[in-house]
Amino acid sequence: MTPTTETTVGIGGAAESTDMVLNIGPQHPSTHGVLRLRLVLDGERIVRAEPVIGYMHRGAEKLFEARDYRQIIVLANRHDWLSAFSNELGVVLAVERMLGMEVPERAVWTRTLLAELNRVLNHLMFLGSYPLELGGITPVFYAFREREVLQNVMEEVSGGRMHYMFNRVGGLKEDLPAGWTARAREAVAAVRSRMDVFDDLVLGNEIFRGRTRGVGTLAPETVHAYGVSGPVARASGVDFDLRRDEPYLAYGDLQDVLKVVTRDAGDCLARFEVLLEQTHNALDLADACLDRLAQLPPGPVNQRLPKVLKAPEGDTYAWTENPLGINGYYLVSKGEKTPYRLKLRSASYNNIQALTELLPGTLVADMVAILGSLFFVVGDIDK
């Protein structure tokens, strides 16, 4: 075998017998932000790939230890800024479990509704941005139009457009505004009526299918080995969804509406199809929650809490099916008003590690298609 050497370069070529080490990022259009990929190339083919993370790390887990249980929420909703409501939810569920606290039924159904609306908002961002990365600019305009419709109702109920700060230990910040459920129902109907844009404009596009079919195939064994979850895992045939398998909130009563979307191909196209079909189902779940809220009598949406909230000594783990995958909080308390330890298990952190298996053997031209199909948020990786 001819001995080879490695040459680190920015762009350009190298000698025939030389592997090229190419750094993509940390500030590069194809890296979704401050992510760095260290690629070893043999011509146009990727030999090895290493995701280098930590450029956005802000020490969130350490900051949790210096905040009380009310203040943690403002930090927790920021690591995946597209899933802020779901991030908050995991924290309050963990604390409520430690306290043995029952949440009013009205708050349970409202939380479920807002979590599904947040899921749609998250997915619409990727449904628009992924075709954009492959050269299709039109879908992103439609995606942001639909996002605005839902953002308006989320902003009306919480006061925030991205970081909602609407969850509280024991329930929600306040009750829904008068007439809000009717406006939310109109928003859901409006978005659903225009979702065929993505079915026809994107999935029906031959170029899009050519760039994604059979590209970046992720085996189920790799999914289990790296702890990959969410739409990325289900696109590889891993049929797991916490909303069905370990129901929380009101999902136990929504099993007739909930549909766990899976595919067997495991490629970029399958991941996009799962995301799109899951968006349709989230809209159906939101309608079901609105129907249930209409049947509930007026009542409280939170529990009265002491001025200084302390969780009893012990530990617990609360995990939720966030839009991008499994999000978990491991809470350890020593009986104080701040957690002794709050460990965050984020979906994107595990999902992005699969790049070390996905990229080798593929062409550099397919790297962006594979990277974008993992649907990650960099802050969710770095925490």
Side-chain angles (χ1 to χ4, degrees):
M1 181 180 290
T2 305
T4 61
T5 59
E6 285 190 355
T7 304
T8 303
V9 297
I11 56 173
E16 284 187 13
S17 62
T18 303
D19 285 342
M20 181 169 67
V21 180
L22 184 67
N23 282 299
I24 305 292
Q27 292 288 357
H28 188 280
S30 70
T31 59
H32 290 241
V34 280
L35 172 71
R36 173 184 163 209
L37 290 177
R38 184 180 182 274
L39 307 179
V40 179
L41 309 178
D42 181 8
E44 287 291 312
R45 198 163 293 277
I46 299 172
V47 179
R48 291 196 304 276
E50 177 191 358
V52 183
I53 66 174
Y55 293 95
M56 285 187 68
H57 180 60
R58 59 193 176 90
E61 292 176 346
K62 199 64 183 173
L63 291 173
F64 290 158
E65 298 173 14
R67 306 293 191 276
D68 67 32
Y69 292 108
R70 295 178 176 91
Q71 296 169 328
I72 285 172
I73 297 172
V74 77
L75 294 172
N77 64 19
R78 280 165 166 74
H79 56 88
D80 174 2
W81 47 79
L82 296 177
S83 311
F85 187 86
S86 301
N87 298 342
E88 300 172 9
L89 196 56
V91 173
V92 296
L93 289 175
V95 180
E96 287 162 5
R97 187 175 298 170
M98 292 281 283
L99 293 168
M101 180 180 290
E102 290 288 332
V103 177
E105 186 180 12
R106 190 171 178 81
V108 171
W109 282 96
T110 305
R111 279 177 172 179
T112 311
L113 167 63
L114 296 176
E116 290 306 313
L117 291 178
N118 194 193
R119 192 181 309 277
V120 177
L121 283 168
N122 175 288
H123 290 357
L124 281 171
M125 175 64 79
F126 291 106
L127 291 174
S129 65
Y130 185 49
L132 178 65
E133 290 157 11
L134 301 181
I137 191 172
T138 308
V140 76
F141 296 124
Y142 288 107
F144 269 85
R145 179 186 66 180
E146 311 314 331
R147 275 176 55 83
E148 279 300 310
V149 173
L150 294 177
Q151 286 280 32
N152 288 339
V153 294
M154 293 292 283
E155 183 178 10
E156 181 186 357
V157 74
S158 67
R161 285 183 63 81
M162 287 187 69
H163 307 302
Y164 304 110
M165 279 298 295
F166 198 56
N167 277 293
R168 294 291 186 273
V169 176
L172 297 167
K173 175 186 173 186
E174 56 197 7
D175 205 349
L176 303 173
W180 181 86
T181 52
R183 291 187 288 277
R185 194 182 293 276
E186 291 172 3
V188 169
V191 172
R192 181 188 286 108
S193 68
R194 297 192 289 254
M195 285 299 293
D196 61 339
V197 167
F198 301 99
D199 293 304
D200 302 334
L201 188 65
V202 183
L203 284 181
N205 186 291
E206 292 182 13
I207 299 174
F208 179 82
R209 299 183 76 87
R211 288 290 306 276
T212 55
R213 186 191 287 113
V215 175
T217 302
L218 182 63
E221 298 78 20
T222 307
V223 168
H224 293 301
Y226 284 87
V228 176
S229 60
V232 178
R234 290 191 284 274
S236 295
V238 179
D239 189 6
F240 180 71
D241 190 313
L242 284 173
R243 296 174 296 170
R244 179 199 62 195
D245 300 325
E246 287 194 20
Y248 58 98
L249 294 182
Y251 289 114
D253 297 322
L254 291 169
Q255 297 301 304
D256 293 339
V257 184
L258 175 64
K259 180 182 178 183
V260 179
V261 184
T262 61
R263 291 289 188 279
D264 294 324
D267 56 8
C268 294
L269 180 60
R271 290 190 277 274
F272 187 87
E273 288 176 342
V274 167
L275 201 73
L276 179 55
E277 196 171 334
Q278 195 168 281
T279 308
H280 285 285
N281 186 239
L283 291 169
D284 294 339
L285 288 166
D287 265 341
C289 291
L290 286 166
D291 291 340
R292 179 63 175 159
L293 281 171
Q295 299 169 3
L296 292 177
V301 293
N302 49 41
Q303 296 278 20
R304 184 177 295 276
L305 299 176
K307 194 169 185 180
V308 178
L309 179 64
K310 296 182 179 181
E313 190 168 345
D315 64 283
T316 190
Y317 181 67
W319 57 348
T320 54
E321 188 68 43
N322 270 30
L324 299 182
I326 293 174
N327 188 84
Y329 291 99
Y330 177 56
L331 171 62
V332 181
S333 172
K334 291 295 182 73
E336 302 295 329
K337 66 178 182 179
T338 60
Y340 177 76
R341 184 81 170 89
L342 186 58
K343 174 73 174 68
L344 167 61
R345 188 267 191 220
S346 62
S348 298
Y349 180 82
N350 286 71
N351 291 1
I352 203 67
Q353 309 306 321
L355 283 171
T356 57
E357 301 281 347
L358 273 175
L359 289 177
T362 63
L363 297 172
V364 176
D366 290 329
M367 181 203 66
V368 178
I370 297 170
L371 188 65
S373 71
L374 290 186
F375 311 129
F376 61 88
V377 172
V378 181
D380 202 40
I381 302 169
D382 291 343
K383 300 183 280 185

